Amino acid sequence: MRHARRRVVRRVTRLAAVGGLLLGGAMVTRAVASEPSATTAPRTFAQSSADMGTGLVSKLGTSRTAGTWLGADGRPVVAVTDEGAAAEVRRAGAEAKLVPHSMNELKSAASTLRSAPRVAGTAWVMDYRTNRVVVQADSSVSASDWSGMTRVADGIGSFVRTERVKGSFTTRVNGAQPILSTGGRCSAGFNVTNGQSDFILTAGHCGPSGSIWFSDNQGTRQIGRTVQQSFPGNDWSLVQYASGKAGDGADVVAVGGGKGVRITGVADPTVGQRVFRSGSTSGLRNGQVTGLNATVNYPEGTVTGLIETNVCAEPGDSGGPMFSEGVALGVTSGGSGDCTTGGTTFFQPVTKALSALGVRMIVSAQAGSGAGQSAAPAPAASATHSAIAPGAASPGSSATVTGGAEASTLLSRLTDPRNIGPGLLVLAGSLVALVATRFIRAEQDRKAYRRHYSTTWG
């Protein structure tokens, strides 16, 4: 009877071990199959249209064009100065708009404005859609200063328009994830790398080189130190991670509620494009690009080459990321207004910052062969994509925010059913059980053999 029970126990144990092997194998297979493939992420036709418009402007030249933007239907519109250029734009499948002033004239007007005495609280931007240069003054500009600026604008020509705006043009010190130093509070922008070390790309006005950044108010969890900064003139800085590495989730920007968006590439925006901005003060917001190559005279100094948008922002959002369809576009610089009444926000283009700093964006594996790859703009979408209006763009593919104080431990990763860890644990346990049952049975057989023959040894 005892031998019968042992045989039953051994058989049940072996069956359980074999079942565990099959289950573990299935779990590993499923986890591997669910991993994102290293292929280029799908792109909407909106980015393809923007690339088409930019390509036509580059081909025709600045003396025959005056910028490009996305129309309400998502098609690229190119401003041209002659019928020959218009015909070429139409043959390419874009819409042409005849305008009286070329890009060279718009740039000349902006140059004249820059050479005039600097007035804090003013800004100007090339409005491609109206073929004008728009000069703005906030509430801090005095009547006499504004009168002088208006005289300079009127002397350039009627295509330079002046207007007053509400609020004040200020940098937004005080985002996606908050970073804090003795100089104030800003937002982390994007993670970048030079191949040896990882950094946070954020706004330059957040703090000078040497600033130490923390992820908590008590100053106990150090993130890193600012190692490069440019402000005014530009508005970018690099914060080097104290550990040297950004860690898990380096390709994700936070959008609130523990969620994030995967970054798959880098590009320059187009006027009319729908964009998204994330910051720790005001969260995820969206709007449109309204102008490029904007100049803003902040109280601290003048910054040029900025992206103008109608996305709102508030103090504390500085340095936060701007993106669309998972493509990095800019980091928050400053602006006027707030997210209650609306306003204007300016962004430092990331392409210019990356080039000047000699670093590359850390992007999702979907955009190349893995995180940390060079983030050149992804290829245009295939012709099978339908044209979509700029307002139909999305932030990008979703992801869970990790990293920092929320970084997962080895045990939590091993037990996460989305990973291969649990399957490997089941496989290992089943193999141990199978080997153990065979060893125990062999030992029992040897003992039985000795007991049987020992009775005959006399």
Side-chain angles (χ1 to χ4, degrees):
M1 187 68 179
R2 184 173 55 194
H3 295 297
R5 283 199 300 269
R6 288 177 179 173
R7 284 195 297 271
V8 170
V9 170
R10 286 199 300 266
R11 287 172 183 172
V12 170
T13 304
R14 284 198 299 271
L15 287 173
V18 172
L21 289 173
L22 294 174
L23 176 61
M27 291 172 68
V28 170
T29 302
R30 181 178 179 181
V32 172
S34 66
E35 287 292 314
S37 59
T39 57
T40 301
R43 302 290 299 281
T44 67
F45 194 74
Q47 185 62 46
S48 178
S49 296
D51 294 339
M52 179 192 295
T54 303
L56 286 168
V57 167
S58 178
K59 179 181 179 181
L60 294 170
T62 55
S63 64
R64 303 179 70 196
T65 63
T68 180
W69 62 94
L70 294 178
D73 60 355
R75 290 178 61 205
V77 182
V78 180
V80 294
T81 58
D82 61 78
E83 281 291 352
E88 193 163 344
V89 168
R90 295 186 189 106
R91 282 196 297 270
E95 180 182 343
K97 180 180 179 180
L98 277 169
V99 296
H101 305 286
S102 69
M103 178 60 73
N104 288 343
E105 293 177 84
L106 299 181
K107 287 182 175 180
S108 177
S111 178
T112 301
L113 291 166
R114 281 195 299 273
S115 64
R118 179 182 179 275
V119 178
T122 60
W124 53 84
V125 65
M126 299 175 193
D127 188 341
Y128 298 156
R129 286 178 283 198
T130 63
N131 196 226
R132 291 177 174 178
V133 175
V134 180
V135 183
Q136 301 173 332
D138 66 21
S139 58
S140 69
V141 178
S142 67
S144 59
D145 283 343
W146 183 229
S147 178
M149 200 74 182
T150 301
R151 283 196 298 272
V152 174
D154 291 343
I156 298 173
S158 60
F159 65 97
V160 179
R161 189 181 81 230
T162 57
E163 63 181 29
R164 284 275 194 174
V165 297
K166 295 179 180 180
S168 299
F169 292 130
T170 59
T171 52
R172 299 308 200 181
V173 172
N174 263 358
Q177 301 279 49
I179 53 176
L180 305 99
S181 75
T182 56
R185 179 174 181 266
C186 272
S187 301
F190 300 98
N191 285 311
V192 299
T193 183
N194 63 7
Q196 285 78 45
S197 185
D198 296 345
F199 309 83
I200 298 171
L201 176 65
T202 188
H205 69 262
C206 286
S209 293
S211 300
I212 299 176
W213 295 93
F214 301 88
S215 62
D216 64 316
N217 289 317
Q218 291 73 37
T220 58
R221 295 197 296 270
Q222 182 177 336
I223 298 174
R225 181 190 299 266
T226 300
V227 293
Q228 283 185 268
Q229 181 233 18
S230 180
F231 179 82
N234 302 296
D235 197 359
W236 66 63
S237 65
L238 279 183
V239 176
Q240 185 173 23
Y241 279 100
S243 65
K245 293 298 179 183
D248 294 339
D251 59 336
V252 176
V253 295
V255 296
K259 299 186 181 302
V261 169
R262 292 193 183 280
I263 298 302
T264 60
V266 176
D268 289 315
T270 299
V271 173
Q273 181 179 359
R274 187 188 184 198
V275 293
F276 300 82
R277 176 203 59 75
S278 183
S280 63
T281 299
S282 54
L284 182 67
R285 305 284 175 163
N286 71 88
Q288 282 192 337
V289 175
T290 53
L292 302 174
N293 297 313
T295 297
V296 184
N297 292 303
Y298 294 124
E300 303 93 332
T302 301
V303 181
T304 62
L306 297 177
I307 304 162
E308 183 193 58
T309 73
N310 59 13
V311 185
C312 72
E314 297 183 352
D317 289 331
S318 276
M322 180 179 75
F323 47 91
S324 183
E325 302 289 340
V327 176
L329 301 172
V331 293
T332 306
S333 175
S336 63
D338 54 41
C339 290
T340 301
T341 60
T344 298
T345 302
F346 299 96
F347 295 85
Q348 168 68 56
V350 294
T351 53
K352 184 178 178 182
L354 294 176
S355 176
L357 293 166
V359 294
R360 61 182 185 270
M361 190 73 62
I362 297 178
V363 298
S364 170
Q366 294 173 337
S369 58
Q373 297 300 309
S374 179
S382 66
T384 58
H385 282 89
S386 300
I388 65 169
S394 66
S397 61
S398 62
T400 302
V401 174
T402 61
E406 299 175 2
S408 58
T409 63
L410 175 61
L411 179 60
S412 65
R413 289 197 296 269
L414 285 174
T415 55
D416 188 345
R418 294 171 297 180
N419 299 328
I420 65 172
L424 292 176
L425 289 175
V426 173
L427 281 173
S430 301
L431 284 173
V432 170
L434 191 61
V435 171
T437 54
R438 294 188 66 85
F439 175 78
I440 292 171
R441 180 179 179 181
E443 280 297 304
Q444 290 174 340
D445 287 345
R446 281 194 292 271
K447 289 179 179 179
Y449 176 83
R450 287 197 297 268
R451 282 197 302 270
H452 174 73
Y453 283 99
S454 65
T455 58
T456 63
W457 292 346

